[in-house]
Amino acid sequence: MSQFDEATKVHYGNDNRIEETELERYPRVAEKPISEYSTREVGLQGEMIAAHWCELADYELLERNWRCPWGEADIIALDGDTIVLLEVKTRVDPGERYGAIPELAVDEEKRSRYRLIALAYLCERPGFYSVRFDVIAVTLVADGHAKLHHLVNAYLWED
């Protein structure tokens, strides 16, 4: 039984839903306290948790850290027949209040870059007609716990 089996899912409307879960005992990037992780280690930890979450949600992972001239997509996955570009934002909150809100870091500049990344990806891999932009926000907290928000369809092409 996985630590993700007890996930709580909250849905808002048909097009934009937030999936939320408390994660415990996930695989660690480094054998040290989260409070001692470098910025890079925090990001890697969040991406590892997000990729695992996507697999459990029956997404087919196509790429991790896919690069093009306009930047990097953290995760590219297939959800049914839809290509999903996932931006993963991770923060550390050593308290028990879950006060960090990593998804706020996905600003207009980041969204614009992701649209260009999507175009580059689709040019290299024609045949896909549906694209979605999701954000996965991971908050790492004390004692090896994390909180994950998956904002499905977080923004659109034309925003």
Side-chain angles (χ1 to χ4, degrees):
M1 184 172 211
S2 167
Q3 68 270 22
F4 300 97
D5 290 343
E6 297 301 319
T8 302
K9 295 185 179 179
V10 181
H11 300 280
Y12 293 97
N14 294 330
D15 295 325
N16 190 354
R17 66 185 185 268
I18 297 174
E19 296 181 10
E20 180 179 326
T21 185
E22 299 281 340
L23 308 178
E24 298 181 19
R25 295 175 301 186
Y26 50 81
R28 302 286 290 270
V29 168
E31 292 301 319
K32 59 184 172 183
I34 294 292
S35 60
E36 295 177 13
Y37 273 25
S38 68
T39 303
R40 178 158 172 69
E41 289 170 327
V42 168
L44 289 172
Q45 185 69 70
E47 288 178 14
M48 192 165 66
I49 292 168
H52 187 63
W53 168 256
C54 288
E55 289 173 340
L56 292 170
D58 291 327
Y59 288 46
E60 179 185 341
L61 294 181
L62 301 176
E63 307 279 350
R64 288 191 59 189
N65 305 111
W66 187 82
R67 294 180 182 273
C68 71
W70 293 279
E72 175 184 291
D74 294 328
I75 298 173
I76 300 177
L78 196 58
D79 181 16
D81 61 352
T82 300
I83 290 289
V84 183
L85 280 84
L86 296 115
E87 171 67 5
V88 180
K89 288 296 180 190
T90 309
R91 299 292 183 265
V92 175
D93 183 0
E96 295 182 16
R97 65 186 187 287
Y98 299 120
I101 307 173
E103 56 269 37
L104 293 179
V106 183
D107 59 12
E108 182 54 41
E109 180 182 338
K110 176 62 87 171
R111 294 189 300 267
S112 294
R113 257 198 333 270
Y114 252 70
R115 290 179 187 104
L116 292 171
I117 293 167
L119 288 173
Y121 188 81
L122 293 173
C123 286
E124 284 191 13
R125 291 162 183 84
F128 294 105
Y129 302 101
S130 180
V131 177
R132 190 176 79 218
F133 300 98
D134 290 6
V135 173
I136 294 184
V138 178
T139 304
L140 305 175
V141 295
D143 300 328
H145 296 271
K147 186 171 185 177
L148 178 148
H149 287 224
H150 181 181
L151 289 81
V152 178
N153 207 22
Y155 55 94
L156 306 172
W157 281 105
E158 49 289 329
D159 283 349

